[in-house]
């Protein structure tokens, strides 16, 4: 294996790890968003005064 | 007699300037390629919004003319109209504008509702790095290999952006290869989707996504921008504009700007981009053995990306509870050909269960793939520029 290919494999390894880390952080942030700002369904109006 | 001689000289000069006198086999071959693109767009409806401008651009770029005469009509002649329009490609400012339009038209709800799908968008980027290593092994320089590898991201603007920075001499071949394979997604992906999945897996029903609040939709692009800034700043030109476009859409108070970004602006840039990328395939600079190699590696990268996405879903399913399992037919959509690869998931899924609609689920990895390939481009740029 030539040094160029070794470097390429290293860059590929770091690159894929970087992408998975980026996506994993995004994933965790969205989970956090869901906890902080959950969807609240608008009230149906049943409880309103008639 | 003198009049006849002058007339003859003038006719000869006129002939020297015609396309007939300057045509070569290469020009004719490229004109046929352009006509084939237009045929695919009109008859088969493969990505017509891209293939019509690119196909017609190939015709424009390959009209033979006397290149030594300094007519300033060729795309590579400084000061020509085509050359001026081509600067958006060469300097890399068309792709970020397209990304802004994509952001303004993309609904990230399916991804926010099921963020696990982010990881499929990451897995498909194996295509980029696989092709990068393959290109190096085939004798390309590291910066050229990086540009060729990005074809595997199935994202034309990203491929153009990275190539304009790393290997501008390969711009025509990389761009044509990327857009051709994006158009051929319906042909390339289904055989591998069937090959790598079992009948039981193809009918997995995924849980309906939860409802996403408007606050989440607004915060998503802001968080995305900040995450990009801190982790992969080199991806900012693309991802920054993508998230900016998305904030225009989701904020609810900039409707006019969002409509411009996803309508007239993206259409204008698409026309200019397609036409000039097509014209950049001028036979004298495009028809080289390297271009053929780029096309072969591009096909390889697409296949690797598709297979990586499907195999990753199968692997991921080993760790998921029964009612949370993911249909591996959406694994292909982690390549960022939006929305074609998601549509393919839907079409193949319906073949095996005509009540199982996968489109909304497939849009998650599809838009994650857009983000993933832009991050990959940023990483490549960081290492190879």
């Amino acid at each position: 294996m030539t040094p160029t290919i070794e470097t390429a494999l290293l860059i590929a390894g770091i690159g894929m790890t970087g992408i998975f880390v980026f996506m994993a952080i995004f994933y965790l942030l969205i989970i956090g968003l869901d906890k902080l700002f959950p969807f609240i369904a608008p009230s149906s109006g049943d409880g309103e005064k008639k | 007699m003198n009049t006849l001689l002058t007339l003859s000289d003038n006719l000869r000069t006129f002939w020297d300037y015609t396309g007939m006198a300057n045509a070569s086999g290469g020009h004719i071959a490229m004109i046929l390629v352009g006509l084939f693109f237009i045929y695919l767009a009109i008859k088969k409806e493969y990505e017509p919004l891209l293939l019509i401008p690119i196909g017609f651009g190939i015709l424009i770029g390959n009209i033979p003319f006397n290149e030594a005469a300094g007519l300033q009509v060729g795309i590579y002649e400084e000061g020509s109209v085509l050359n001026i329009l081509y600067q958006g490609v060469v300097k890399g400012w068309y792709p970020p504008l397209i990304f802004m339009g994509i952001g303004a038209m993309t609904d990230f709800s399916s991804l926010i509702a099921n963020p696990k799908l982010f990881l499929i968008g990451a897995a498909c980027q194996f295509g980029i790095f696989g092709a990068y290593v393959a290109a190096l092994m085939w004798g390309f320089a590291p910066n050229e290999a990086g540009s060729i590898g990005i074809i595997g991201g199935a994202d034309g603007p990203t491929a153009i952006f990275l190539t304009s920075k790393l290997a501008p001499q390969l711009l025509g071949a990389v761009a044509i290869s990327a857009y051709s394979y994006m158009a051929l997604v319906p042909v390339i992906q289904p055989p591998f989707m069937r090959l790598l999945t079992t009948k039981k897996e193809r009918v997995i029903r995924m849980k309906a996504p939860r409802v996403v609040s408007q606050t989440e939709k607004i915060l998503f692009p802001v968080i995305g921008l900040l995450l990009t800034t801190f982790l992969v700043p080199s991806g900012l030109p693309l991802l920054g504009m993508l998230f900016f476009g998305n904030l225009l859409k989701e904020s609810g108070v900039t409707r006019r700007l969002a409509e411009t970004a996803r309508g007239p602006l993206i259409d204008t840039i698409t026309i200019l981009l397609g036409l000039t990328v097509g014209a950049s395939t001028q036979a004298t600079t495009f028809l080289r053995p390297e271009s053929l190699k780029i096309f072969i590696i591009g096909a390889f990268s697409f296949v690797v990306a598709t297979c990586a996405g499907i195999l990753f879903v199968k692997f991921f399913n080993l760790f998921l509870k029964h009612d949370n399992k993911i249909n591996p037919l959406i694994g292909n959509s982690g390549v960022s050909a939006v929305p074609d690869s998601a549509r393919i998931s839907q079409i193949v899924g319906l073949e095996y269960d005509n009540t199982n609609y996968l489109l909304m689920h497939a849009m998650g990895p599809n838009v994650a793939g857009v983000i993933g390939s832009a991050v990959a481009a940023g990483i490549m740029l960081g290492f190879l520029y």
Side-chain angles (χ1 to χ4, degrees), chain B residues 353-367:
Chain B
D353 179 353
N354 60 10
T355 58
N356 193 8
Y357 297 98
L358 293 173
L359 186 63
M360 62 181 170
H361 301 292
M363 281 310 291
N366 211 184
V367 292

Side-chain angles (χ1 to χ4, degrees), chain B residues 175 182 209 261 347:
Chain B
M182 279 168 70
I347 291 166

